[in-house]
Amino acid sequence: PRNETVAWTIHFEEPLVNLFVTGNNPSGMVMGNLFQEDVKNSGKNLFYSDLIQGTETPRSSVVDFEGADVFKAVEAFCHQSEQRPARLFRFSEEDFIMVSAQPDCDMEWFESLNDEKIRTLDQTETLSLLETRHYRWECGCNQQRIMEILAPTMRLDPESLFDGEEMIRVGCPRCGAKHKISREALEAYVTTHEKSKE
């Protein structure tokens, strides 16, 4: 749906990593990151999904899955949480195909799909383009948004935040981009926003 924003975090136990990816249909932005540090061991592979559709209440779901294959993780999520089977295939190094079973799908045909059949699908099946959408790789983070996150800590305990320094480097929790924030700029931000609330 065009008004849908989704975020997936796929937690793998072996190797111990979190793969994060999010897509925002209204803005056409997609972004992802691989987290290898400070990843907590949960004892099993987990697929977390957060979905926002327009002004509706956000929905979250979690499913567990076996193995270390991203495709299999997504397929397990679609089957368990979406209750709509999906298959993913690597068409080429940077091209991927996802086939999703709609109501009344021929499940025998669906399950028989493999890499070879996918490569010739346009020759054996009638395909049509539903629509074209354009996306760009972008997080949308900037100093303003990072300062919004830091402001509550700055109000309560600026010394622990800056630890005697005049400048800190802060990584965006979504994309990992590094932002330099000066104490002077953050103090001005906090002061300005406190005045605007009065």
Side-chain angles (χ1 to χ4, degrees):
R2 286 198 172 270
N3 66 342
E4 186 174 282
T5 298
V6 66
W8 288 351
T9 300
I10 307 175
H11 169 77
F12 292 98
E13 286 288 298
E14 185 57 45
L16 188 60
V17 296
N18 283 346
L19 176 62
F20 173 75
V21 64
T22 182
N24 183 310
N25 273 317
S27 68
M29 293 179 0
V30 294
M31 190 277 307
N33 202 355
L34 176 69
F35 297 93
Q36 297 175 291
E37 297 176 4
D38 302 318
V39 177
K40 294 181 180 176
N41 189 316
S42 64
K44 58 184 171 181
N45 296 335
L46 294 170
F47 192 116
Y48 300 88
S49 174
D50 294 294
L51 176 71
I52 300 171
Q53 205 165 28
T55 57
E56 295 179 18
T57 304
R59 292 180 295 163
S60 297
S61 61
V62 182
V63 300
D64 59 88
F65 62 93
E66 298 295 325
D69 183 322
V70 172
F71 285 5
K72 295 300 180 193
V74 174
E75 289 173 2
F77 168 74
C78 290
H79 182 74
Q80 293 178 57
S81 183
E82 300 293 300
Q83 296 168 359
R84 184 184 331 166
R87 306 276 310 282
L88 282 92
F89 302 91
R90 182 183 296 273
F91 188 78
S92 66
E93 188 172 331
E94 294 187 6
D95 291 316
F96 306 92
I97 293 176
M98 178 175 175
V99 181
S100 178
Q102 302 301 314
D104 300 322
C105 175
D106 178 346
M107 292 307 293
E108 186 176 336
W109 170 86
F110 179 81
E111 294 297 341
S112 75
L113 290 174
N114 56 32
D115 289 340
E116 184 180 338
K117 288 181 178 179
I118 285 295
R119 285 185 174 80
T120 59
L121 195 63
D122 61 338
Q123 298 165 27
T124 59
E125 301 293 334
T126 303
L127 304 179
S128 62
L129 185 65
L130 296 176
E131 65 176 304
T132 300
R133 296 187 189 181
H134 299 280
Y135 293 90
R136 66 189 180 284
W137 185 262
E138 184 180 334
C139 175
C141 67
N142 54 40
Q143 281 206 326
Q144 174 82 14
R145 294 183 73 181
I146 296 298
M147 287 197 281
E148 286 175 22
I149 295 169
L150 296 175
T153 304
M154 184 66 180
R155 289 186 192 98
L156 295 173
D157 192 359
E159 297 310 317
S160 69
L161 183 61
F162 281 88
D163 195 26
E165 301 293 326
E166 289 303 310
M167 182 86 65
I168 56 174
R169 289 175 59 90
V170 181
C172 171
R174 290 162 44 98
C175 71
K178 300 297 181 193
H179 297 270
K180 289 183 179 178
I181 307 291
S182 71
R183 183 170 185 145
E184 182 181 9
L186 190 53
E187 285 173 346
Y189 175 87
V190 169
T191 302
T192 301
H193 284 76
E194 283 178 348
K195 286 181 180 176
S196 67
K197 291 177 183 177
E198 292 175 357

